[in-house]
Amino acid sequence: MNRKYWNAFILCLLTFLLCMSSTGCDAVRNEEPLKICFIRNGDVWVMDEDGSNEMQLTYSGHDDNPSWSACGRYILFVRNVEGYEEIYLINNDGKNETRLTFTGEDENYFSPTWMPDGSGIVYGRRFTDTYYIGVMNKSGVTIKEFIASGVDSYIIGISVSPDSAKASYIWGASNIVGIMNLVNGVNYANQYGITNCYDITFAPHGEVIVYIDGYNPNIIHCYNLVLANTIDYTLPYILSFNSDLSFSPSGDKIVFVYNFNIYGYDIKTNQTNLIKVNGQQPCFIGKPR
């Protein structure tokens, strides 16, 4: 091969490998049938979106909060280890389970979720009653971390925007919607005036947060942060605090939990169907929580 073309080939190869190492994930998975990870009896399971082909991945009985990477290769989850909450990583086939965090006294990690561009993992951390939102790589090394709330002002339910630039969360005793800039740590708690909110997540496209509120617990609210308008979808169920909303990558399907069972909602057809009995915290492949 001509030296000039050989050098160009090597440069392209190095660029490709650098991109792969920085993102840690390949293209978003949108194949059919989609898959869903979920929790059953304290363990991580996966299944097809119709509830078939289920497979158990973990066997600790103490696992929670699964989040599937955009490429579909990895699943994050939280495990209670001797009274402390730690973040773990596992392959989508149940292999290579890896512990990412090692807490100290009065410290817990929670709500890990992938950045949709694959460049990192966003997490929550509580240390001596102060809450933080941070970003780590898939080896568990912290890249950055910001204070999200002070003493006695808890946060829950972290979700990341499609451009990986913002995190939404629920803050304080009034369940207020908070938004944090993941680049500089600027915090917009209560800027949007949304209270009594739970099960918050970002929709797959645009700056749209999706949540259920305690005043209308059978309505899914889709609020556009830029346009300040809302589109609502009414479900045939009165949802509880732990309804665990998750969107498909295309944004036309939602899974949620009602009475400890997993249901699907098709936005296009306005149809709801039971997917799996005895399941919680569903999360679509290709759509990090």
Side-chain angles (χ1 to χ4, degrees):
M1 180 184 290
N2 183 287
R3 179 177 294 274
K4 179 176 69 174
Y5 294 111
W6 173 254
N7 290 338
F9 170 77
I10 293 297
L11 179 61
C12 290
L13 179 61
L14 290 174
T15 301
F16 170 76
L17 293 175
L18 178 61
C19 290
M20 289 297 292
S21 64
S22 64
T23 62
C25 227
D26 52 353
V28 172
R29 296 269 296 267
N30 288 298
E31 80 277 8
E32 299 289 345
L34 290 172
K35 289 187 176 292
I36 296 169
C37 63
F38 65 101
I39 296 294
R40 174 187 287 158
N41 299 328
D43 292 308
V44 180
W45 294 66
V46 297
M47 63 181 174
D48 289 351
E49 62 177 320
D50 62 0
S52 63
N53 298 319
E54 64 177 33
M55 178 174 67
Q56 186 173 355
L57 301 189
T58 67
Y59 294 85
S60 80
H62 299 284
D63 299 337
D64 210 355
N65 293 132
S67 176
W68 213 323
S69 63
C71 63
R73 192 182 303 166
Y74 309 107
I75 295 173
L76 290 168
F77 61 94
V78 171
R79 174 171 294 167
N80 187 300
V81 181
E82 298 180 349
Y84 298 98
E85 301 294 321
E86 308 284 4
I87 298 175
Y88 280 71
L89 177 73
I90 195 169
N91 289 3
N92 62 6
D93 59 0
K95 297 178 180 178
N96 299 322
E97 180 180 291
T98 305
R99 182 174 172 177
L100 301 185
T101 63
F102 296 83
T103 61
E105 186 177 356
D106 198 22
E107 181 181 23
N108 287 283
Y109 286 84
F110 60 94
S111 296
T113 185
W114 296 91
M115 302 181 90
D117 64 7
S119 61
I121 296 165
V122 178
Y123 63 88
R125 182 173 73 93
R126 183 192 63 79
F127 179 63
T128 60
D129 293 328
T130 297
Y131 286 79
Y132 302 82
I133 292 177
V135 179
M136 66 174 65
N137 64 24
K138 71 183 185 70
S139 297
V141 177
T142 297
I143 300 170
K144 62 182 82 172
E145 190 175 75
F146 309 106
I147 293 178
S149 70
V151 175
D152 298 327
S153 295
Y154 67 87
I155 67 170
I156 56 175
I158 297 171
S159 177
V160 184
S161 61
D163 62 2
S164 298
K166 298 181 180 67
S168 67
Y169 60 94
I170 300 170
W171 170 70
S174 298
N175 288 352
I176 296 167
V177 169
I179 303 291
M180 173 173 282
N181 187 312
L182 293 174
V183 177
N184 55 25
V186 173
N187 201 358
Y188 302 100
N190 203 25
Q191 173 179 333
Y192 303 97
I194 302 173
T195 63
N196 200 28
C197 163
Y198 55 93
D199 285 327
I200 191 170
T201 186
F202 267 99
H205 309 293
E207 297 194 31
V208 178
I209 54 171
V210 183
Y211 67 96
I212 300 166
D213 71 64
Y215 303 111
N216 300 290
N218 66 323
I219 297 177
I220 295 176
H221 304 280
C222 301
Y223 179 82
N224 190 305
L225 299 177
V226 177
L227 302 178
N229 61 8
T230 304
I231 297 175
D232 292 338
Y233 300 102
T234 303
L235 300 179
Y237 305 100
I238 304 297
L239 301 182
S240 65
F241 186 84
N242 296 311
S243 299
D244 305 322
L245 299 176
S246 177
F247 270 84
S248 64
S250 63
D252 59 1
K253 298 177 182 177
I254 302 172
V255 286
F256 64 93
V257 171
Y258 172 70
N259 198 25
F260 301 104
N261 300 321
I262 298 174
Y263 288 79
Y265 175 68
D266 191 309
I267 293 174
K268 292 181 178 179
T269 63
N270 194 33
Q271 297 295 312
T272 303
N273 66 292
L274 174 64
I275 296 176
K276 183 63 63 178
V277 173
N278 187 19
Q280 299 180 68
Q281 302 181 353
C283 182
F284 269 111
I285 189 173
K287 174 59 178 72
R289 188 173 301 284

